Amino acid sequence: MWSAAHLAMVGTSFTALTMALLVGHHAFACWNGDRRLEAEHGENFLKIKERTSVIPFMAIIDGRQTLPKDYYKELIRAPLVLIAVGSVGAYFAHPYMQAGAALARNSGLVPGGILDGIFLEIN
């Protein structure tokens, strides 16, 4: 989903290649991880593999697993709520962040700061 969203946003052939390589890398990692765990744990791993899936929610859709009645409690924990609130806040703050970035970019850097070595040309 992340790759598809970025490909739709950027839309270049380079992005398409990058996303294809990223998806391929993760597919290889899933295959290699399963191969390694099967070699290490044998039948015990195969029993777990039968009940799970690398595709999100596929084991639930197939009926191999069920969600507990209070599954929503997992989503109401402080770190996840903080991430959700921060993401929504950043989304609504984007116009202000873009305006601030435009101001900083157009105003020029005033010499004499601690970041001169990074942002000013060295002659």
Side-chain angles (χ1 to χ4, degrees), residues 30 34 52-56 58:
C30 288
D34 283 358
T52 60
S53 175
V54 295
I55 300 170
M58 186 56 73

Side-chain angles (χ1 to χ4, degrees), residues 40-59:
E40 187 175 336
H41 300 287
E43 190 64 32
N44 290 333
F45 170 72
L46 293 177
K47 288 178 187 175
I48 293 172
K49 187 177 177 181
E50 288 175 6
R51 313 186 276 130
T52 60
S53 175
V54 295
I55 300 170
F57 303 106
M58 186 56 73

Side-chain angles (χ1 to χ4, degrees), residues 54-67:
V54 295
I55 300 170
F57 303 106
M58 186 56 73
I60 295 169
I61 294 168
D62 288 345
R64 292 179 276 165
Q65 290 187 5
T66 58
L67 286 174

